[in-house]
Amino acid sequence: MDAHTVSFTSAAERSTSRIWKDLSAYHHVVAIDLLEKEDMSATLSVTANVIGKRRAQILGRLPRVGIVGAGFAGLRCADILLQHGFDVTVIEGRNRLGGRVHQVPLRPGHLVDAGPNWIHGTNNNPIMEIARKTDTATGTWESETSVMDDAGKMLPIPVAETHSSMLWEIIGDAFTHSNKNGATIDANESLFDFFGKQLAKRIPENSPDFEQKRNIMFQFAEVWGAYVGSHIVNQSLRFFWLEECIDGENLFCSGTYEKILAEIAKPAVEGVKFKYKTIVNKVRSSDDETCDTLKVYTEVGETLEFDEVVFTAPLGWLKQHPDAFDPPLPARLSKAIKNIGYGCLEKVIINFPKAFWLSAKPETDARGFILLLGPSYAPDSNPHRWNQEIVELASFAPPNSHPTLLFYTYGDQSRFLTNEVAKLASKEKKDAFLYEWFRPYYSRLPHYEEGSPDCEPVSCFATDWLKDDLAGNGSYSNFQVGLEEGDKDIEIMREGMPDRGLWLAGEHTAPFVALGTVTGAYWSGESVGQRIAQAYGREKRGMDGIN
């Protein structure tokens, strides 16, 4: 994963781009008037045929909203509802706020993000605005990606640049092709298939060393897996256009998401009731026939009653708990939840006494992004020759620089590592396993000296989202081969069941351009909060960060 922008639609093309049309529609849907001339928030005279009998019968008191999940979607939704005068309770399975956004101490003075590291797109992005407001340090790297071949030898910069440029040209062409021709692309065609066809044109068989060049490019192509948490062979070409992100830079949160989370959580912390370490196992929704309250049941046997329920559980959790809803979700909504893929991006973060890969001669260093292609030199531990993708954190400006290597893994490698680590009983044994497993890769970095104390790891942290039930045993939504109605599936989840008082929010219900991102989760909570306010005739607002 590097900082290359994943926005390929020019300003001139946005009027015909499905992903940008959706963003515009998403903006406008939260500003629809239910009644143009009547202020429904101030009187009980609002008729049931306007807002529904179930909602009309409670207008003499504050509507009660239960939000399941205290991640960015839930916190932003709570903020919006508080602004509109609702009584809000947030139910959270963990003992903290933030969901997948949280920090862990790597060693004294060094916090790292266990969840998202990036702000995807800086233009009209509310998370970027909050980062500026909170003085959260962000950064990128001016140096080119350092690339090692399968023998562990550093590729010359011009050669690496040539391959990297071709990679992103092909990805750009794939976005264009998917956006224009998605309706006719076979559902089983993958992004990897597209790469194969493109490489046959760009590196013809009559060119020198064409097999070697194509092989290197196929290894480069695997980089895409770290963007979506699944291998490129699983990436749907038909719905590849849904992977485009907000335009602008991709910035690394070198100061972590800590202050951003605190800023977003502040209104909720000050104004709502929290129930921590409370796991929901069923929600009973209602309608205008029964006119009953919605009931939320917890694992410890508690029953909570609300007028509306916002469910922000991750997509992976929804997939695994179809029986959590009574009555069952409509068939088309259940199908949508089943259809959309769910990735498994994991991280291993290793800290050293000193950033040995940096020196007084930058031209000899490895800075920023480091890509190790199909390593053949660790056959016992890595027989599948999984690429290794590293972000080094020592090049940032103080105080946010520290001698740390961040490894991104996905797919089978993530599953293998999390399973192996889970078998070990102690933190010391887990760390020792990871130090040795990754040694063939960090030992290939410039200036490494075997036996030097500066080159020996001193601390380590590995995520295990695949083992985390509350995270849905994975990372975030993606679009895999075989998908036939990906955009409709997202729209169906985004709609939820407002007639029954049940709403869905989270990155999987975001505007297309922000799916799978922190910004998407934030926007989804904002949208649902405003839609609920409108359902009760309360004030309308536009989405934060969209012009």
Side-chain angles (χ1 to χ4, degrees):
M1 176 179 289
D2 66 20
H4 198 288
T5 179
V6 191
S7 178
F8 292 88
T9 303
S10 69
E13 296 172 320
R14 290 186 182 180
S15 62
T16 58
S17 166
R18 284 181 286 176
I19 204 161
W20 289 97
K21 284 182 177 179
D22 173 74
L23 183 60
S24 177
Y26 197 94
H27 167 47
H28 289 297
V29 77
V30 298
I32 295 174
D33 283 346
L34 291 176
L35 283 182
E36 294 183 355
K37 297 181 180 179
E38 186 173 6
D39 177 9
M40 298 193 298
S41 63
T43 176
L44 293 177
S45 64
V46 183
T47 56
N49 64 348
V50 175
I51 66 172
K53 188 164 60 173
R54 183 180 64 82
R55 293 186 177 111
Q57 73 178 5
I58 63 171
L59 286 182
R61 59 170 172 81
L62 290 181
R64 298 169 301 180
V65 181
I67 299 175
V68 181
F72 272 36
L75 293 171
R76 181 56 176 163
C77 186
D79 181 7
I80 295 296
L81 291 171
L82 288 172
Q83 292 177 37
H84 291 82
F86 287 80
D87 180 358
V88 182
T89 300
V90 175
I91 308 162
E92 170 55 49
R94 307 181 194 275
N95 62 356
R96 57 169 178 80
L97 300 174
R100 286 168 284 187
V101 179
H102 76 113
Q103 295 72 44
V104 295
L106 194 57
R107 65 176 185 172
H110 290 170
L111 278 181
V112 292
D113 277 312
N117 292 116
W118 298 86
I119 297 176
H120 294 282
T122 52
N123 295 345
N124 293 317
N125 186 335
I127 301 302
M128 188 68 234
E129 295 303 316
I130 296 170
R132 294 189 183 107
K133 178 181 179 181
T134 58
D135 275 336
T136 294
T138 60
T140 186
W141 295 266
E142 295 182 0
S143 57
E144 298 294 334
T145 299
S146 299
V147 182
M148 295 185 189
D149 65 16
D150 55 11
K153 181 180 179 181
M154 193 75 74
L155 291 181
I157 291 297
V159 174
E161 287 181 358
T162 297
H163 287 92
S164 181
S165 295
M166 185 181 295
L167 166 72
W168 289 104
E169 286 173 7
I170 293 175
I171 287 177
D173 289 347
F175 272 115
T176 300
H177 175 58
S178 179
N179 189 50
K180 291 182 177 179
N181 305 302
T184 59
I185 295 173
D186 190 292
N188 292 312
E189 190 169 358
S190 71
L191 179 59
F192 187 79
D193 296 329
F194 186 84
F195 257 89
K197 295 175 183 178
Q198 287 291 308
L199 291 180
K201 297 176 182 178
R202 294 166 183 262
I203 309 175
E205 292 185 1
N206 60 0
S207 62
D209 302 319
F210 79 94
E211 289 183 328
Q212 179 184 9
K213 292 177 181 177
R214 286 185 186 177
N215 182 58
I216 291 176
M217 281 307 306
F218 277 124
Q219 292 174 331
F220 262 88
E222 293 182 17
V223 167
W224 184 253
Y227 281 84
V228 297
S230 296
H231 199 280
I232 187 173
V233 300
N234 298 323
Q235 170 70 61
S236 166
L237 181 63
R238 184 174 188 172
F239 290 102
F240 188 50
W241 62 275
L242 285 172
E243 299 289 2
E244 188 170 359
C245 291
I246 299 169
D247 53 347
E249 296 181 274
N250 279 353
L251 296 181
F252 192 94
C253 267
S254 55
T256 78
Y257 263 89
E258 183 180 28
K259 291 188 287 187
I260 296 174
L261 171 58
E263 180 69 17
I264 291 172
K266 185 178 179 181
V269 169
E270 295 176 349
V272 311
K273 297 180 287 291
F274 281 94
K275 293 184 67 67
Y276 292 107
K277 300 180 73 172
T278 302
I279 296 176
V280 171
N281 58 14
K282 188 173 286 291
V283 176
R284 179 172 295 167
S285 58
S286 183
D287 57 23
D288 276 359
E289 294 299 319
T290 61
C291 286
D292 199 1
T293 56
L294 281 77
K295 295 179 174 59
V296 174
Y297 302 95
T298 73
E299 281 191 346
V300 297
E302 188 176 11
T303 301
L304 307 172
E305 296 190 25
F306 301 102
D307 303 307
E308 311 287 331
V309 172
V310 182
F311 223 84
T312 74
L315 175 63
W317 193 96
L318 295 175
K319 287 175 172 290
Q320 295 174 34
H321 297 85
D323 57 347
F325 302 96
D326 178 22
L329 299 178
R332 184 62 184 89
L333 177 54
S334 295
K335 180 181 177 183
I337 291 170
K338 181 179 179 180
N339 287 349
I340 300 300
Y342 198 58
C344 53
L345 185 70
E346 300 280 3
K347 298 186 286 190
V348 175
I349 306 171
I350 303 177
N351 183 258
F352 296 84
K354 181 181 177 181
F356 63 83
W357 53 91
L358 303 183
S359 71
K361 296 181 179 180
E363 67 274 11
T364 68
D365 299 342
R367 294 175 180 265
F369 302 98
I370 306 162
L371 176 61
L372 290 75
L373 297 172
S376 62
Y377 40 84
D380 294 333
S381 59
N382 185 6
H384 300 286
R385 298 176 62 178
W386 294 310
N387 280 4
Q388 300 302 311
E389 299 183 43
I390 307 173
V391 175
E392 63 85 20
L393 306 183
S395 296
F396 291 120
N400 300 300
S401 62
H402 45 99
T404 300
L405 299 175
L406 163 56
F407 291 80
Y408 284 105
T409 71
Y410 64 89
D412 290 340
Q413 183 179 0
S414 287
R415 284 183 278 270
F416 168 77
L417 289 173
T418 53
N419 285 337
E420 292 301 304
V421 169
K423 296 174 184 177
L424 303 173
S426 68
K427 175 77 162 82
E428 290 74 20
K429 289 182 178 180
K430 295 175 191 287
D431 287 356
F433 168 78
L434 292 169
Y435 294 158
E436 289 308 307
W437 200 91
F438 285 97
R439 187 178 298 276
Y441 314 115
Y442 62 74
S443 66
R444 280 341 192 248
L445 299 186
H447 321 308
Y448 177 86
E449 295 181 16
E450 188 171 356
S452 169
D454 290 340
C455 302
E456 288 300 315
V458 293
S459 61
C460 178
F461 171 76
T463 62
D464 58 352
W465 299 115
L466 280 164
K467 303 293 184 182
D468 188 331
D469 292 342
L470 293 179
N473 304 106
S475 49
Y476 45 82
S477 59
N478 60 29
F479 307 93
Q480 301 193 2
V481 290
L483 188 61
E484 296 184 348
E485 295 184 298
D487 51 346
K488 299 298 182 185
D489 292 328
I490 296 296
E491 290 169 348
I492 290 291
M493 289 193 291
R494 188 189 291 171
E495 175 63 18
M497 299 171 61
D499 56 324
R500 299 193 62 87
L502 181 61
W503 312 75
L504 301 182
E507 54 81 15
H508 50 288
T509 68
F512 295 154
V513 77
L515 290 165
T517 69
V518 173
T519 303
Y522 179 93
W523 269 341
S524 74
E526 182 172 271
S527 173
V528 167
Q530 291 167 354
R531 289 170 62 201
I532 292 174
Q534 290 165 10
Y536 285 88
R538 293 168 183 258
E539 150 188 18
K540 64 178 183 179
R541 294 169 59 91
M543 281 177 58
D544 187 9
I546 299 183
N547 296 326

